[in-house]
Structure formats: C-alpha cells, structure tokens
C-alpha cells in the first residue's frame, strides 16, 4: 500500500513538472520563487526544444498549488534538487545558480580599503617636526626691504594678495607649530649691515635669520659673521631647499641657502618666454613643434633655438633699418646674454662642497672648448642676419630694458629672455598669450636645463651668534619647519602670482618653472666682484669678440691670490 501511494505521488509530481516545463519553455522564460519571497528572474532559454515531449499526461491533477509550499513535505528532501529530473528536456540553463542566498542584501558591499592615504614629503616632515618648542620666545627675521626695487615678502597680510596671504598663513603656522612669537625686522641695506655688525659683536639676540641680497651676504660670510648651515642636523637634499646654494661652499662652509621661502631670488632668475600668438601664426605657414614637448623630450638646445628664430625678423615700418619698431625672432637685454653661458651648465669658478678651495672652472681645456663653442653659437644668434633689414635678434641697451618688453607685449618678438619678475607684468598685459621655457641646453647630452640668478637676489643666512640657539634650543627644527611650510604655502602662491590667470595656472608653465628653479647655478665668479669675471661672456657676445679665452686666463692669473684674500678670515677660523 505504501509503495502504491508512493508511486502515485511520484507520478503526479512528474506530471506537474512536465506541464510546468513545457509551458514555460515554450514562452521562453521561467519565473522563480525564492524561499517564499517572490522575486521573478527571467531566464532566457531560447535554446530549449521547440517541441513538447512526445508523451504528455492525458489528465492534469485537478488541484495544482498556485504557490510553492513554504515548507517541504516530510517525505521530500529538505533542499531542492540541484539537477533537473531525468525526464526533463536535455537542454536547460547551465548558468543558473545552484544556491540562492537566504536574504537579498539591501546595501552594496563596502569596498575594502586598498591602502592608507599617501602623505607628501612635506606632510611627513611636519609630522616628524611636530612638537618643536621655542618656549614662546621671539624668533626674529631681519630682512632688507628694498633690493633695487624688489622687496622680499616676509610679513604677509591676511586678505591681501595671493602671495601676501600665503606668507601670512605660513608665519601663523610657524608660530603655532613651534610655539614662538615671530618678529620680522625690515631694514634698508645700510641698516641691515649695521644691525648684523652689532649682533655679531654684542649678541643682542634680536634676530635669528637674515634675508638679504646674495652679493652682500657673500661679503658677510667672508667676514666670518655668519653661521654654517652644515652645523645643523638637516637634510638639505629635500625639495624645499635649493641644492645650488648648498654647493656654494666657502672653505667647506655653507653660509646661505635658498629654497621655497624666497621670492626675490626667483624674480631675478633668468627664463625664456615665447609669444603664443606668434607661434600659432607661424604654424600656419611653417612646421612648428609644441615647444613644451621639445623641452620635455630633451631637444631644447642652442642649435634648436638658433634655427627657431630664423626668417622671422623684418623691417616692419619700412624705414630701411631695424629698430625697436620692427619684428624679431628674439629679444633680450645685455646681461641676459649671460644666460646662454649658464644655460650650457658652465661656470667661471668651481666651489662645490667636495672642494677644499675654489678653483678656475675653465682651466680644464674641455670646459674651455665647450665655452668657446657656446660663445660662437650665442654670437650667431645675436649677430647672424640675412641682411640689414632682416635681423633676427634685438638686444636692449642698459637702461632701456623696457624696449624689449614692449616689443614682446606687442607681438613683435617670438622669444624673450629676461628675469622672471617680468612674468607678472606680462600676466597683466597679455594674460595667457605667452609661455615659459628654461634656457636652451648646450646639447641633448647635458643632464639638466640650467640657469642663473642675479646677485641682487635674496638669500637666507644666520648670524654667527645663533650658536646659542643651536645649543640651547631646537634651531634646526624651527628652520626646517619654516622651509617646509614655505613649500606648502608660499611657493604655490608665488607661482600663481606670476603666471596664474584668474586663479588658474597653465600646467605646462608650472612644469617649466619647476625645471628652472630646480637647477639654478650659483657661481662665485659671478657674485664675488673681486675676481673680475662678472659678465665677461655676455660682453664678448654683445661685442662679437673672440677674446673670451684670453680675458678669462688674464683675469685668472691673480685668481689664487684673490681667493686667499677673500677666504683668509675663514681659514684662520
């Protein structure tokens, strides 16, 4: 009896399954109910047989449940079979899940965190310097407020210019982080000299840092009035320091540094600018490459530059002569010609950290040969012309520097070499109509694009008396915090103030300025007037003279004697 009932039940079940399968396969989909909560999933079964099974039950049970039972019959398995009955059609969906989750998730799973937020080197440095305590005492910065018309931004003002506001924030952060009272002390050049002398002889403690022109700082250093940066436990290879000044070593000492905090030294750094409108106009008639790409691909060389300015200049006003009223491929000022020398990574004097004393850089014949090759190229750039009314280059006379600037603004010069301070003026005059480039290299083999900073550029030093703060307080930590905060606040604001247009900076120009400021050459031969090398290359280019080698060696005859006189006090110490 039990066997008969069981067989009857099985037969009825098979009849329901066959009917269900045939109907739904014909319609092309199957509705699935999941554990009592109806969720319809349409599963395509277009590959199913188009004909129903040959044997179809003649009778259908009179009562077919409209919904699946919530509980399985006691005689049936507790879980639904994972395989279709053997009597079902041979082709069934193969990708249907074998198990269905008991609950449908209401929220998407949270993505695992891949890695912790990466901090910048500046942020890591501030974490390391956290806890620096000056004890609430004053920390003074003496600065020269007027440097040939330039003024270092040291005080700042909330709500002022972009740069002034950034300096204010830097100073505020320094006070809070290092628990000090920052005092800025403005002075004229004469007052600054007197204050340093007083500090050195009486140890007033009025100031701990000095911001002054490079040429006067060099004089203070050789008089033994300044403290050696090398005595502080600071990693000067970090980006907020200028490695070029670190290499300006005097008898093994480093008495001044540049870095992210300075503005005047950046303003008087020589750069190359180009007129975008003229460049675009020339591209209509001649093949002109993207100059930023030329720089990035290491092809921005003196030879490339020389070819780029050809066939551009012409007698615009038709008076039969080339003047500031005409069109040129290149314009600069006389001392701007020195930029070709430093752009080729040349120096008059070597005085790096690895040297015990300065030496003549061009006494090496290979270096002198390179310098003469650069001289010939520079002279070709300035003096090589197609005719008297088709000149490539305009060089403004000393005192008439504005002539070349005005020509560039008026779209009559393609390339313009001057100090970076003119970027601000150009920004006000022609907005985004110009671009910034480094000085051309001598060749593709040269490691970096290099340039120079004029001797009036400011630099940061410490009075010799700061030794007390070094011993009794954490002078190194305060100084480094000042430099790091300057990179975070002041440096970006400086860039925006010079090339930003409505608060936006061209990313190409930002990249070019980073290249320029990262590789500046600081040459003792340029800054120490006692040597007599100052601008002799530019003079030879301007005058089209071939006497550079003779002049250099002539001045070099008294070099050793001058070095000893210059560094005598340092060696005695």
């Amino acid at each position: 009896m039990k066997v008969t009932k069981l067989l009857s039940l099985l037969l009825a079940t098979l009849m329901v399954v066959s009917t269900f399968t045939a109907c739904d396969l014909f319609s092309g989909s199957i509705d699935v109910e999941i554990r009592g909560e109806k969720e319809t999933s349409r599963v395509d079964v277009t590959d199913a047989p188009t004909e129903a099974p040959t044997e179809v039950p003649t009778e259908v049970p009179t009562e077919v449940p409209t919904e699946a039972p919530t509980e399985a019959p006691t005689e049936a398995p507790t879980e639904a079979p994972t395989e279709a009955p053997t009597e079902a059609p041979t082709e069934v969906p193969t990708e249907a899940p074998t198990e269905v989750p008991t609950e449908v998730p209401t929220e998407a799973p949270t993505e695992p965190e891949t890695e912790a937020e990466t901090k910048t080197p500046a942020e890591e440095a501030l974490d390391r310097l956290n806890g620096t305590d000056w004890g609430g005492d004053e920390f003074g910065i003496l600065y020269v407020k007027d440097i040939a018309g330039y003024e270092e931004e040291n005080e700042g003002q909330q709500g002022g210019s972009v740069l002034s506001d950034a300096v204010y924030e830097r100073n505020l952060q320094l006070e809070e982080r290092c628990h000090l009272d920052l005092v800025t002390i403005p002075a004229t050049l004469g007052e600054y000299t007197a204050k340093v002398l007083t500090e050195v002889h009486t140890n007033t403690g009025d100031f701990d840092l000095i911001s002054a022109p490079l040429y006067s700082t060099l004089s203070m250093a050789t008089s033994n009035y300044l403290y050696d940066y090398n005595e502080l436990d600071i990693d000067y290879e970090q980006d907020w320091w200028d490695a070029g000044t670190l290499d300006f070593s005097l008898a093994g000492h480093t008495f001044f540094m540049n870095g992210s905090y300075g503005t005047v030294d950046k303003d008087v750094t020589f750069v190359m600018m180009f007129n975008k409108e003229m460049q675009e106009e020339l591209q209509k008639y001649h093949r002109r490459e993207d100059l930023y790409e030329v720089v990035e691909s290491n092809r921005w060389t003196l030879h490339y530059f020389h070819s780029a300015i050809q066939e551009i200049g012409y007698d615009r006003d038709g008076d039969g002569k080339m003047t500031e009223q005409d069109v040129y491929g290149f314009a600069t000022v006389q001392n701007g010609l020195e930029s070709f020398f430093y752009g080729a990574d040349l120096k008059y004097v070597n005085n790096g950290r690895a040297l015990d004393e300065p030496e003549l850089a061009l006494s090496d014949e290979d270096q002198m040969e390179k310098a003469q090759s650069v001289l010939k190229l520079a002279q070709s750039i300035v003096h090589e012309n197609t005719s008297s009314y088709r000149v490539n280059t305009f060089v403004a006379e000393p005192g008439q520097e504005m002539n070349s600037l005005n020509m560039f603004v008026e779209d009559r010069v393609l390339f313009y070499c001057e100090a970076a301070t003119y970027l601000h003026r150009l920004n006000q005059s022609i907005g985004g109509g110009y671009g910034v480039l480094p000085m051309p290299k001598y060749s593709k083999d040269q490691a970096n694009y290099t340039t120079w900073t004029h001797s009036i550029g400011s630099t940061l030093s410490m009075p010799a008396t700061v030794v007390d703060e070094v011993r009794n307080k954490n002078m190194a930590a305060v100084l480094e915090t000042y430099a790091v905060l300057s990179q975070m606040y002041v440096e970006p604001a400086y860039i925006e103030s010079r090339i930003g247009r409505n608060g936006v900076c061209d990313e190409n120009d930002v990249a070019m300025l980073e290249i320029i400021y990262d590789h500046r050459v600081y040459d003792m031969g340029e800054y120490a007037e006692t040597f007599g090398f100052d601008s002799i290359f530019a003079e030879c280019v301007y005058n089209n003279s071939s006497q550079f080698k003779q002049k250099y060696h002539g001045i070099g005859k008294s070099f050793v004697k001058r070095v000893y006189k210059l560094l005598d006090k340092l060696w005695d110490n």
Side-chain angles (χ1 to χ4, degrees):
M1 185 67 179
K2 287 183 180 180
V3 172
T4 302
K5 287 184 177 180
L6 183 58
L7 289 173
S8 299
L9 179 61
L10 179 58
L11 179 59
T13 302
L14 290 173
M15 291 170 64
V16 172
V17 168
S18 299
T19 304
F20 174 82
T21 304
C23 294
D24 279 283
L25 286 176
F26 183 77
S27 65
S29 62
I30 300 175
D31 287 351
V32 181
E33 288 185 278
I34 303 175
R35 297 181 184 262
E37 296 182 8
K38 189 169 183 180
E39 288 195 7
T40 302
S41 175
R42 307 298 293 179
V43 182
D44 289 334
V45 287
T46 54
D47 292 334
T50 57
E51 297 182 1
T54 55
E55 297 183 6
V56 180
T58 56
E59 294 183 3
V60 179
T62 56
E63 294 185 3
V64 180
T66 58
E67 294 184 1
T70 57
E71 294 183 7
T74 55
E75 293 84 359
T78 57
E79 295 185 5
T82 58
E83 298 182 2
T86 56
E87 293 80 1
T90 56
E91 292 187 31
V92 296
T94 58
E95 296 182 359
T98 56
E99 293 185 4
V100 182
T102 57
E103 294 184 4
V104 178
T106 58
E107 295 182 2
T110 305
E111 297 242 341
E113 294 185 7
T114 54
E115 59 181 58
E117 183 180 351
T118 303
K119 291 187 175 182
T120 65
E123 291 170 335
E124 291 178 348
L126 288 182
D127 287 345
R128 172 174 51 82
L129 295 164
N130 190 33
T132 301
D133 192 348
W134 196 254
D137 295 336
E138 290 185 351
F139 185 88
I141 301 178
L142 173 68
Y143 72 96
V144 178
K145 62 183 181 181
D146 186 1
I147 310 173
Y150 297 90
E151 183 170 341
E152 189 68 60
E153 188 74 62
N154 280 295
E155 298 181 12
Q157 181 180 354
Q158 190 175 27
S161 66
V162 171
L163 182 57
S164 182
D165 202 50
V167 170
Y168 175 86
E169 183 63 28
R170 187 266 316 271
N171 294 350
L172 184 64
Q173 288 286 329
L174 181 70
E175 289 183 321
E176 293 178 354
R177 287 180 171 274
C178 298
H179 306 284
L180 55 82
D181 179 17
L182 182 63
V183 178
T184 55
I185 308 168
T188 64
L189 189 59
E191 291 170 343
Y192 138 80
T193 303
K195 287 181 180 293
V196 172
L197 291 176
T198 301
E199 172 64 29
V200 168
H201 292 108
T202 63
N203 194 7
T204 64
D206 289 342
F207 50 89
D208 306 281
L209 291 176
I210 305 168
S211 175
L214 199 154
Y215 68 89
S216 63
T217 302
L218 179 59
S219 176
M220 291 290 178
T222 55
S223 298
N224 214 17
Y225 294 158
L226 302 179
Y227 190 76
D228 184 3
Y229 271 84
N230 295 321
E231 295 296 323
L232 301 177
D233 184 17
I234 294 178
D235 180 8
Y236 298 112
E237 300 296 338
Q238 296 295 332
D239 287 344
W240 40 88
W241 301 107
D242 187 334
T245 44
L246 184 60
D247 269 327
F248 196 110
S249 179
L250 301 172
H253 305 287
T254 300
F255 292 111
F256 57 86
M257 290 287 292
N258 280 343
S260 298
Y261 40 78
T263 59
V264 176
D265 65 289
K266 295 181 179 67
D267 274 345
V268 296
T269 295
F270 280 79
V271 302
M272 185 72 78
M273 294 157 271
F274 72 96
N275 188 302
K276 289 184 176 180
E277 291 189 11
M278 287 187 68
Q279 176 76 356
E280 291 171 2
E281 188 66 23
L282 287 166
Q283 284 177 330
K284 297 178 181 178
Y285 309 101
H286 308 282
R287 183 177 178 273
R288 288 272 168 174
E289 296 183 271
D290 183 316
L291 292 172
Y292 299 117
E293 172 58 30
V294 174
V295 172
E296 293 289 352
S297 61
N298 214 31
R299 295 181 292 119
W300 181 238
T301 64
L302 279 171
H303 286 284
Y304 188 102
F305 177 73
H306 185 208
S307 64
I309 66 171
Q310 300 300 311
E311 302 301 324
I312 294 175
Y314 68 93
D315 182 13
R316 175 173 169 266
D317 58 8
D319 64 355
K321 55 184 179 181
M322 294 293 288
T323 67
E324 66 271 14
Q325 302 301 320
D326 298 315
V327 176
Y328 296 84
F330 173 53
T332 187
V333 293
Q334 187 169 331
N335 63 353
L337 300 173
E338 197 81 350
S339 303
F340 292 126
F341 181 80
Y342 289 116
D345 200 18
L346 291 166
K347 295 173 72 174
Y348 296 114
V349 176
N350 285 329
N351 56 303
R353 286 169 283 173
L355 299 175
D356 294 329
E357 60 186 66
E359 63 182 24
L360 290 171
L362 302 183
S363 61
D364 180 282
E365 282 303 315
D366 289 338
Q367 287 295 296
M368 175 55 76
E369 183 178 342
K370 177 182 176 181
Q372 289 185 294
S373 177
V374 173
L375 177 66
K376 290 179 181 178
L377 272 169
Q379 288 172 335
S380 294
I381 288 168
V382 173
H383 300 286
E384 183 182 86
N385 307 306
T386 306
S387 65
S388 60
Y389 54 88
R390 202 161 181 82
V391 178
N392 296 322
T393 298
F394 178 86
V395 181
E397 298 289 340
Q400 299 180 18
E401 291 82 4
M402 293 302 294
N403 285 342
S404 53
L405 174 65
N406 292 335
M407 294 163 64
F408 187 72
V409 170
E410 294 169 7
D411 300 332
R412 291 188 288 109
V413 170
L414 178 58
F415 292 103
Y416 175 48
C417 173
E418 246 291 10
T421 186
Y422 286 88
L423 293 173
H424 182 59
R425 298 187 185 184
L426 289 171
N427 216 5
Q428 295 174 322
S429 302
I430 59 177
Y434 71 94
V436 186
L437 302 171
M439 294 305 302
K441 292 182 177 183
Y442 172 63
S443 70
K444 292 177 65 175
D445 297 331
Q446 187 174 312
N448 300 304
Y449 291 101
T450 53
T451 188
W452 67 297
T453 295
H454 197 280
S455 62
I456 65 172
S458 57
T459 189
L460 199 66
S461 61
M462 297 171 282
T465 52
V466 82
V467 64
D468 293 335
E469 281 76 4
V470 174
R471 291 171 180 170
N472 304 318
K473 295 185 178 182
N474 202 343
M475 178 67 188
V478 174
L479 178 59
E480 190 170 7
T481 302
Y482 182 71
V484 174
L485 289 172
S486 295
Q487 189 197 52
M488 296 179 70
Y489 293 101
V490 178
E491 195 165 63
Y494 171 82
I495 298 296
E496 182 179 342
S497 70
R498 296 304 181 261
I499 64 172
R501 294 123 197 171
N502 298 319
V504 179
C505 298
D506 186 306
E507 61 181 13
N508 291 310
D509 292 332
V510 172
M512 295 299 105
L513 285 179
E514 288 177 355
I515 291 172
I516 292 165
Y517 292 130
D518 282 350
H519 302 289
R520 292 182 289 181
V521 175
Y522 294 86
D523 186 356
M524 182 184 286
E526 186 73 37
Y527 305 132
E529 294 182 359
T530 183
F531 292 142
F533 292 119
D534 180 25
S535 297
I536 63 170
F537 179 88
E539 291 172 5
C540 287
V541 174
Y542 185 74
N543 296 318
N544 206 18
S545 170
S546 60
Q547 298 299 305
F548 176 78
K549 182 176 182 179
Q550 291 85 337
K551 283 188 175 183
Y552 182 82
H553 287 311
I555 295 170
K557 289 179 180 179
S558 60
F559 176 74
V560 173
K561 179 180 179 181
R562 292 174 186 271
V563 166
Y564 274 82
K565 182 178 180 181
L566 184 69
L567 304 181
D568 184 56
K569 291 182 180 179
L570 295 178
W571 281 324
D572 287 345
N573 195 44

